[in-house]
Amino acid sequence: MSPATDVEPVRIAVLNDYEVVALGVAAMLADYPRRVRVAEVNVYLHVSEPVDLVLYDAFARTKSGVHLDLDLLMSNPLASRAVLYTWEVTAQSVEFAETHGLSGVVSKSVGAGRLVEALERIHAGERVVLPADPGEPHDDQPAWNNWPGKAQGLTPRQSEIITLVVAGLDNRDIASSCYLSTSTVKSYIRAAYRTMGVRSRTQAVLWGVDHDFRNSSRSRFMLADDDEPTSCTRG
């Protein structure tokens, strides 16, 4: 149910290590301006403006710095609450969120309406765990419409896995980061390799570097009153 029209929208910061994904999530939420307002889109994984809620994308959970990033995020007085945004809503991801003080876990496969409802409930003080509905699309039709490697034919989950391969994580670390089994990770890697036309991890890393899977552009977007993003890029 929608909140009353005189209630201020929930101010959201979207944190993701890849600008194209963070902006895609922000665009999805822009369809609900009276209920949520994306105040900041940040690939630095740091909130610099007061917000009610941080949508922390698990895509950003690389091997180095994840605990530090979350510790800094959760101690930031500018962010009231945070929620883990991930493909896999499992006992492991829920435990991770609870351990690090996050207020919930939401599947990336949920539609925009259910995501907005979950964010409103979390803002109201609930702890929300929202897995994908069986009828919702998964790998091939995410609610947001862009991700690294899309043009080359990778699905969103394959893109996430290959990004971590390029970052130097082994299969066990990738499984832990994405809340998957190692056998599932291997299946995604095999499928991605076929799409990429590579046969080894070394070739996959080189392919990823050639296709900008190392995110060298680190940007922060502040949303102005007219909803046009203002970019503050840092090296």
Side-chain angles (χ1 to χ4, degrees):
M1 179 181 297
S2 299
T5 56
D6 60 344
V7 176
E8 288 292 319
V10 183
R11 288 176 57 84
I12 306 292
V14 179
L15 304 190
N16 185 291
D17 207 35
Y18 275 76
E19 177 183 309
V20 66
V21 177
L23 288 174
V25 176
M28 175 179 72
L29 294 175
D31 290 336
Y32 296 82
R34 294 186 178 182
R35 300 174 64 182
V36 296
R37 175 174 176 77
V38 179
E40 181 172 0
V41 177
N42 200 332
V43 300
Y44 268 91
L45 309 183
H46 176 70
V47 176
S48 56
E49 291 290 321
V51 295
D52 300 310
L53 185 60
V54 173
L55 190 62
Y56 179 86
D57 196 331
F59 190 74
R61 289 192 64 218
T62 55
K63 185 177 181 180
S64 60
V66 59
H67 299 297
L68 176 61
D69 288 338
L70 280 174
D71 288 344
L72 289 173
L73 172 63
M74 300 311 297
S75 63
N76 190 334
L78 298 176
S80 298
R81 293 182 173 87
V83 58
L84 182 64
Y85 191 48
T86 180
W87 284 117
E88 302 296 329
V89 178
T90 63
Q92 182 185 5
S93 62
V94 172
E95 180 181 5
F96 179 90
E98 292 177 348
T99 299
H100 292 278
L102 282 78
S103 298
V105 183
V106 177
S107 169
K108 292 182 184 181
S109 293
V110 303
R114 292 185 70 210
L115 173 59
V116 169
E117 180 183 356
L119 297 178
E120 290 173 332
R121 290 168 56 197
I122 293 169
H123 175 54
E126 287 188 53
R127 179 173 293 276
V128 174
V129 176
L130 183 62
D133 188 82
E136 285 174 323
H138 288 271
D139 224 11
D140 55 343
Q141 298 177 6
W144 34 273
N145 62 7
N146 212 345
W147 56 89
K150 179 185 179 183
Q152 290 75 35
L154 293 181
T155 68
R157 292 199 207 191
Q158 290 170 2
S159 172
E160 188 164 316
I161 298 296
I162 294 302
T163 298
L164 298 179
V165 169
V166 174
L169 277 68
D170 62 25
N171 289 355
R172 181 176 298 179
D173 289 326
I174 293 172
S176 175
S177 180
C178 297
Y179 313 111
L180 298 168
S181 68
T182 54
S183 61
T184 300
V185 169
K186 290 177 182 178
S187 295
Y188 279 126
I189 288 175
R190 285 194 296 267
Y193 281 11
R194 288 193 296 270
T195 299
M196 296 155 60
V198 303
R199 309 189 82 173
S200 71
R201 212 174 192 90
T202 299
Q203 290 177 344
V205 170
L206 293 174
W207 187 97
V209 171
D210 286 343
H211 291 83
D212 297 323
F213 271 65
R214 282 182 174 168
N215 192 32
S216 58
S217 174
R218 311 282 285 179
S219 302
R220 176 167 59 91
F221 290 82
M222 310 306 300
L223 277 291
D225 290 339
D226 57 3
D227 287 330
E228 289 296 324
T230 299
S231 176
C232 305
T233 302
R234 306 176 188 179

